Amino acid sequence: MNQLVILCLLFLSTFSFGQTTTQTPENTAYIDVTGTVEKEVIPDEIYIQIIIREKYVNKVKVSIEEQEVKLKNALKSIEIDLSNLFLSDVNANYVKVSWQKKDVLTKKDYTLKVSNATAVGKVFQELDKLEITEASISKVNHSKIDSLQQEVRILAIKAAKEKADYLLAAIGEQTGKPLIVTETPITLTRLDMARMPVRSANFVASSIEESDLKSYEIDFQKIKLSASIYVKFSIK
C-alpha cells in the first residue's frame, strides 16, 4: 500500500511540474513577420585563369619561361601587382602534341587577381597581344563579404521589427519582445561569367573604350546578397 501511495505522489508531482513549466504560444498574443533585405555590390576581387603552354612558332619551341617573362612584363606595363599572379597548380601538367618528334609539352595554370573591370579589360588586351588565348574569368568575390553578410542580416531583422511596429500601430497596439527568431540561410548570387574565354570576352578589351569601362563595370559582375529573417513578437 505504501509503495502505491508513493507512486501516485510521484505521478502527480511530475504532472504538476510539466503544467507549470510549459507555456504555449497560444497563451500570448503575438504577431509574426519576415524581414527581407537585398544588397548589390560590385566585386573587388576578380580572378582570371591564364594557361600558358609551350608551343612552336615557325618550328621553334617557345618555352613557358619565355612566355612567363613576357606576361609579367606586360602586366607591369599596365601597373598590375605581380604578387597577385600565382600558380593555380604547383605542378605543371603535361600534354602530348602531334608533331614530328611527338614532344611532350608542358603547360602551367596561373591565376591573376584584379580589382575591377577596367583592369580586366587591360589584362585581356595584353593577353591578346601575347597571343595567349586560354584565359577566362574563373570567379568573383568581395574582400569584405563577411561584413556585408552581417550587415544584411542586421538590416533584415530591423526590417522585421519595423514591419511589426507599423502593422500594430495601425490597430493601436505595440510590439513586445521577440519570442522566436529564425534566419533563412543567406543567399549569394553572382552573375555567371565564369570560364568566359578570352576570345569571346574580347569585347572587354577592344569593343569597349577605356572611358566606357567604368559604366560597364556596374553591369559586369554584381554580387547580390539576400537575407530573410522571421521573427515572432509578443504584443504588449
Side-chain angles (χ1 to χ4, degrees), residues 49-52 86-93 107-111:
Q49 183 183 25
I50 302 169
I51 299 176
I52 296 179
F86 46 91
L87 282 174
S88 300
D89 189 347
V90 177
N91 298 317
N93 297 315
K107 77 179 179 77
K108 281 188 177 180
D109 292 8
Y110 300 85
T111 297

Side-chain angles (χ1 to χ4, degrees), residues 36-48:
T36 302
V37 171
E38 289 187 351
K39 183 181 182 68
E40 289 186 343
V41 294
I42 296 174
D44 59 4
E45 294 179 343
I46 303 168
Y47 294 85
I48 304 173

Side-chain angles (χ1 to χ4, degrees), residues 171-195:
I171 57 173
E173 300 290 346
Q174 289 185 325
T175 308
K177 294 181 178 181
L179 303 174
I180 298 174
V181 178
T182 304
E183 180 195 15
T184 302
I186 199 163
T187 303
L188 287 177
T189 305
R190 295 177 172 88
L191 181 62
D192 186 12
M193 294 183 70
R195 305 298 173 188

Side-chain angles (χ1 to χ4, degrees), residues 19-139:
Q19 290 290 89
T20 56
T21 57
T22 301
Q23 183 178 3
T24 60
E26 287 75 15
N27 295 332
T28 304
Y30 66 87
I31 180 173
D32 49 357
V33 292
T34 300
T36 302
V37 171
E38 289 187 351
K39 183 181 182 68
E40 289 186 343
V41 294
I42 296 174
D44 59 4
E45 294 179 343
I46 303 168
Y47 294 85
I48 304 173
Q49 183 183 25
I50 302 169
I51 299 176
I52 296 179
R53 297 177 185 269
E54 286 184 343
K55 59 184 178 181
Y56 283 94
V57 177
N58 298 324
K59 297 186 179 182
V60 177
K61 185 188 287 188
V62 182
S63 69
I64 286 179
E65 289 72 23
E66 293 176 70
Q67 296 179 71
E68 186 177 43
V69 169
K70 291 180 180 179
L71 175 61
K72 289 181 177 179
N73 288 336
L75 294 177
K76 284 181 182 178
S77 71
I78 56 174
E79 299 181 345
I80 298 293
D81 188 349
L82 293 183
S83 65
N84 290 325
L85 177 69
F86 46 91
L87 282 174
S88 300
D89 189 347
V90 177
N91 298 317
N93 297 315
Y94 292 89
V95 292
K96 288 185 178 180
V97 297
S98 298
W99 197 250
Q100 294 177 351
K101 296 182 180 179
K102 299 193 176 191
D103 293 335
V104 176
L105 302 182
T106 62
K107 77 179 179 77
K108 281 188 177 180
D109 292 8
Y110 300 85
T111 297
L112 176 66
K113 183 175 73 173
V114 296
S115 60
N116 54 57
T118 303
V120 171
K122 290 180 178 180
V123 168
F124 278 130
Q125 284 180 332
E126 297 303 317
L127 293 176
D128 196 51
K129 292 175 186 177
L130 297 173
E131 298 184 349
I132 297 175
T133 59
E134 293 183 86
S136 60
I137 298 170
S138 59
K139 67 176 181 177

